[in-house]
Amino acid sequence: MADGSARLVVSVHDVAPASADETARWCADADALGIPVSLLVIPGPWRGMCLDDTPDFASQLQKRRAGGDEIVAHGWAHAAGPEGSALRRTVGRLVARGAAEFAALDEYQAGERISAGRAVMSRAGLATTGFTPPGWLASPAAERALRRAGFTHTTNHFGVKDLRSGRLHRGFALSHRPGGGWTEQFGEAMFSRVAQRNAARGGLVRLALHPDDLRQPGLRDTTLRTIERALAAGATATTYDAVVAR
């Protein structure tokens, strides 16, 4: 039986003008469940569009934050480049399907992208001190660049990290693997099972929702049922910045 200490963070990934409809769908589901979400915003060019070019979309995100959601920077352009060793690039392709933008950057390279992203976010009225690298992968040098730039928290596969103290609030990131086949089915089963177990144990439950999840029949329903079960097991819905503040 949970003791009420369990926390649930639902993060909506790849928030950008190109995914505005999918973002709105996930946010509507969150509103129906009465929970806040952490919105992971791609500030640079992604799928042919950029946050700088869509003031109406930025305004919608401002309203979401005013209503209790968190805004988090999500890399720059959400695409890995040629930087780093072959091993790091290979790991990034396997884990993040080519999106591991910060996995192999040195401090200068990371700093340039962080600075560009912060400028766009600031112009959009979405300045933030939270950062989640695409694929939850950031090199040690990139993490140093985040700290130097004044970010207070970041996330990886294993938890939420306070960049000021170095403390890691442990909680594995759970997400679907859309694409059909056994990997999608296995991921869907683990998504629900692990989340409910962690909630019952009083842990940190992290559910990551992506735009492409909505293209696969059943994944949205599994997600909503998982959230409901985590809440029923005693988890309190919160955001990444609130986890670190606590």
Side-chain angles (χ1 to χ4, degrees), residues 83 97 121 183 217:
E83 300 88 359
R97 302 184 180 187
M121 298 281 281
T183 56

Side-chain angles (χ1 to χ4, degrees), residues 194-236:
V194 175
Q196 191 170 356
R197 183 194 66 191
N198 288 353
R201 292 179 176 178
L204 173 60
V205 181
R206 297 169 59 204
L207 303 180
L209 318 183
H210 291 80
D212 291 346
D213 295 347
L214 293 170
R215 299 178 183 176
Q216 299 298 325
L219 293 187
R220 173 175 171 267
D221 289 341
T222 296
T223 298
L224 299 182
R225 288 197 306 270
T226 299
I227 294 171
E228 291 171 342
R229 289 169 180 168
L231 295 172
T236 299

Side-chain angles (χ1 to χ4, degrees), residues 156-159 170-175 194 198 204-207:
N156 56 36
H157 282 96
F158 304 102
R170 294 190 178 278
F172 192 78
L174 300 170
S175 65
V194 175
N198 288 353
L204 173 60
V205 181
R206 297 169 59 204
L207 303 180

Side-chain angles (χ1 to χ4, degrees), residues 12-65:
V12 179
H13 287 231
D14 307 345
V15 174
S19 62
D21 291 343
E22 294 88 344
T23 297
R25 180 67 177 273
W26 282 131
C27 286
D29 286 334
D31 291 344
L33 291 165
I35 64 170
V37 291
S38 293
L39 296 166
L40 277 53
V41 180
I42 302 172
W46 185 68
R47 296 185 178 179
M49 304 180 74
C50 183
L51 184 63
D52 247 350
D53 303 325
T54 53
D56 289 344
F57 182 67
S59 178
Q60 293 171 26
L61 297 181
Q62 292 170 19
K63 292 177 182 177
R64 295 295 312 181
R65 175 155 64 182

Side-chain angles (χ1 to χ4, degrees), residues 58-149:
S59 178
Q60 293 171 26
L61 297 181
Q62 292 170 19
K63 292 177 182 177
R64 295 295 312 181
R65 175 155 64 182
D69 291 344
E70 177 190 13
I71 298 295
V72 181
H74 193 36
W76 164 243
H78 205 270
E83 300 88 359
S85 68
L87 176 60
R88 278 192 175 273
R89 294 197 303 273
T90 299
V91 171
R93 283 195 299 271
L94 292 174
V95 175
R97 302 184 180 187
E101 181 179 19
F102 281 75
L105 299 182
D106 62 30
E107 192 166 346
Y108 176 78
Q109 293 165 334
E112 282 195 318
R113 298 189 191 196
I114 291 166
S115 179
R118 292 192 77 179
V120 171
M121 298 281 281
S122 180
R123 287 195 294 270
L126 299 171
T128 179
T129 58
F131 186 97
T132 287
W136 295 289
L137 294 172
S139 65
E143 197 168 287
R144 290 195 298 272
L146 286 171
R147 192 177 296 109
R148 191 181 73 239

